[in-house]
Amino acid sequence: MEALNWDVAVVGCGPAGSLAALESSIRGLNVIVLEEHGKVGEPDHCAGLVSVTGLKRLGLRVPEECVLNRVYGARFYSPSGVSFSVSRRSVQALVIDRRMFDRWLASLAQSAGAHLTLKRKVTSFVRSLDGVHVHVKGGGEEKCKLLIDAEGCRARLAKMAGLPPRRGRRPAVRFEVRGVDVDPDFVELHFGGRLAPGFFAWVIPTDEGARVGLAARSHPRKRLAKFLSTRFPRAKVSRTVAGVVLTNGPVKRTFTDRFMAVGDAAGQVKPTTGGGVVTGGICSRIAGQVASEALQEERFSSGFLKRYQQRWEKILGKEFSYMKLARRVLNRLSDHALDSLFKALIEHGGTETMEAYGDMDFESAAIKKLIANPKILVKLALALLTLANPEKSAAPTA
Ligand SMILES: Cc1cc2nc3c(=O)[nH]c(=O)nc-3n(C[C@H](O)[C@H](O)[C@H](O)COP(=O)(O)OP(=O)(O)OC[C@H]3O[C@@H](n4cnc5c(N)ncnc54)[C@H](O)[C@@H]3O)c2cc1C
């Protein structure tokens, strides 16, 4: 294909890519999106739980046909089955069909003027004084002034650009199941070092059954099958999807000359839950704004683009830090300590705190309040102090 000149080339048409393209296009930039697959949104891997407040922050009104269910709260289960619920009267999150959602977002970007191209896998790029040459599998090339990397968790281009590597990847598997008896208003989160070391298992009710998934340090499929057989012995699995959940927060640097990384490619994912549609989306919109400023001023150096990171850190930096801390603590707790923590949360007002201060995407307020509760803090400190070997205590036994 003949080289064309674009203001911005966006690599990847997931939510982050579409939102960066949308934001750049509505600001009048000439944008191309390169997506390696033949259809936007496929293959999907996501559980599709997105907070209502997060969607509002992104300025998105999701069309009804993308919504499979609405949930009001979550039930948390400890390893021995101690459980509590956190809910509100209003809908807290939508369960979306990610394939349709991604296509809808791509259509918004296209309506704003972005040029979407499919079956175009970007293999490498070369920066020069006058722009970026983007190489496409099969021999094509596009030339742009600025590259936005939204290629998801593989982040090969970010590595090529010299951005720091991301850590904290958890293999995940999700089953779509039918014939299950679930409360349609609540998601379930099941914790335990034996069940899912380094993460948790989840049950998300949909219109036809549930999405039951699990991420862990190892063997997620085997662990999920075992969980399913105890939680829903009669369940029929209609579909299995695998993916990677990121748990270490953003990379230290998300930009360099003529290059910004957004979404999973930049690790802009909540370390507590692995959710990244909203947090990555917020950062992607900022990248689109900064792209427009860079074009206006014809300045593409990392010195100029650092404002991208400064802006998303101002909104989300503290949130990622607290969520990372919470993830680290959870990873270190033995099953016994998790049981004690759950009991302490129930007995000492922790669940009320979560209801009052909880926000699915901005979790720092609730985490700070929980740590400030002396009875919960003491339990947590004791649990952490009594751990002789954290890795061993969370190791799988099956
Ligand atoms: C099991 C699981 C469950 C999850 N559940 C949730 C959830 O409930 N809620 C939530 O908010 N988040 C969830 N997440 C995380 C969420 O899926 C991601 O944070 C989100 O998809 C990130 O969006 P993205 O656009 O950065 O990347 P992606 O959605 O991965 O999109 C990247 C796109 O880039 C394309 N691409 C990649 N490389 C190239 C290339 N070289 N050239 C061209 N195109 C390329 C891909 O084909 C893809 O379309 C889950 C993740 C997993 C694994």
Side-chain angles (χ1 to χ4, degrees):
M1 185 176 288
E2 200 182 316
L4 293 167
N5 278 313
W6 303 96
D7 292 332
V8 176
V10 177
V11 181
C13 196
S18 286
L19 286 167
L22 172 66
E23 192 69 41
S24 309
S25 300
I26 53 180
R27 285 159 190 271
L29 305 192
N30 185 18
V31 180
I32 184 168
V33 182
L34 300 111
E35 165 56 48
E36 69 173 316
H37 290 105
K39 268 188 176 174
V40 171
E42 293 186 18
D44 73 325
H45 49 249
C46 178
L49 191 71
V50 187
S51 73
V52 171
T53 48
L55 290 165
K56 217 180 236 172
R57 280 185 180 110
L58 290 173
L60 297 175
R61 274 180 78 96
V62 180
E64 209 41 48
E65 54 272 27
C66 299
V67 182
L68 302 177
N69 191 17
R70 292 175 161 78
V71 294
Y72 292 78
R75 285 205 178 96
F76 296 79
Y77 294 84
S78 82
S80 73
V82 179
S83 84
F84 63 84
S85 306
V86 175
S87 66
R88 294 207 177 107
R89 285 201 187 140
S90 56
V91 174
Q92 294 302 298
L94 304 184
V95 182
I96 52 170
D97 180 326
R98 261 298 296 271
R99 286 174 285 192
M100 289 187 75
F101 178 75
D102 283 18
R103 276 175 219 150
W104 171 65
L105 284 183
S107 74
L108 293 184
Q110 284 178 289
S111 305
H115 181 66
L116 170 63
T117 59
L118 299 172
K119 293 189 183 169
R120 301 201 70 207
K121 178 175 179 166
V122 174
T123 51
S124 63
F125 65 94
V126 175
R127 282 169 286 182
S128 64
L129 281 179
D130 62 336
V132 188
H133 294 261
V134 181
H135 304 138
V136 181
K137 189 176 171 189
E141 180 181 292
E142 301 290 349
K143 195 177 157 203
C144 61
K145 293 180 178 162
L146 200 57
L147 184 65
I148 297 185
D149 173 18
E151 62 179 329
C153 67
R154 277 177 293 178
R156 282 170 302 199
L157 301 182
K159 200 172 163 197
M160 284 178 204
L163 298 188
R166 275 168 337 179
R167 300 179 206 288
R169 294 162 63 92
R170 299 275 182 264
V173 173
R174 191 193 93 199
F175 294 156
E176 290 196 2
V177 298
R178 292 182 182 176
V180 291
D181 185 17
V182 283
D183 185 336
D185 295 340
F186 282 82
V187 299
E188 295 177 14
L189 305 178
H190 296 256
F191 293 83
R194 283 164 207 264
L195 170 73
F199 209 68
F200 56 83
W202 63 87
V203 178
I204 298 180
T206 62
D207 53 342
E208 292 186 325
R211 288 173 177 163
V212 184
L214 182 148
R217 290 195 184 100
S218 63
H219 306 108
R221 190 178 296 258
K222 207 169 102 187
R223 292 173 189 284
L224 181 58
K226 195 172 165 191
F227 171 69
L228 192 71
S229 68
T230 46
R231 177 68 186 85
F232 301 114
R234 293 201 193 129
K236 284 194 173 54
V237 177
S238 58
R239 195 163 162 249
T240 303
V241 185
V244 171
V245 166
L246 302 173
T247 60
N248 209 39
V251 291
K252 283 217 163 65
R253 191 178 155 93
T254 53
F255 63 95
T256 177
D257 293 337
R258 293 189 183 273
F259 188 99
M260 290 183 277
V262 297
D264 277 19
Q268 290 157 339
V269 176
K270 295 177 284 179
T272 43
T273 65
V277 171
V278 170
T279 46
I282 291 171
C283 301
S284 302
R285 293 206 86 139
I286 295 171
Q289 291 156 16
V290 171
S292 148
E293 293 164 19
L295 262 295
Q296 264 168 29
E297 298 196 27
E298 284 286 321
R299 292 173 68 192
F300 307 102
S301 67
S302 63
F304 185 85
L305 297 179
K306 75 173 178 218
R307 62 176 66 185
Y308 159 57
Q309 179 141 349
Q310 286 165 343
R311 284 187 203 166
W312 72 249
E313 277 186 344
K314 196 168 173 202
I315 299 171
L316 286 165
K318 183 183 69 175
E319 300 301 323
F320 283 128
S321 300
Y322 273 96
M323 289 190 266
K324 203 166 151 181
L325 174 72
R327 164 59 43 219
R328 280 194 179 152
V329 170
L330 286 171
N331 285 355
R332 279 167 176 72
L333 294 182
S334 66
D335 281 3
H336 178 68
L338 272 169
D339 281 329
S340 303
L341 178 63
F342 269 60
K343 283 179 197 153
L345 287 170
I346 294 166
E347 284 164 20
H348 304 303
T351 56
E352 289 81 359
T353 301
M354 288 164 83
E355 270 172 357
Y357 296 94
D359 180 309
M360 273 177 67
D361 306 299
F362 286 64
E363 298 175 8
S364 71
I367 295 170
K368 273 194 269 184
K369 286 279 171 195
L370 288 174
I371 304 174
N373 180 325
K375 289 189 171 140
I376 293 172
L377 183 64
V378 167
K379 269 272 182 268
L380 209 51
L382 282 175
L384 287 168
L385 282 172
T386 50
L387 285 179
N389 183 341
E391 286 296 320
K392 208 170 178 183
S393 65
T397 53

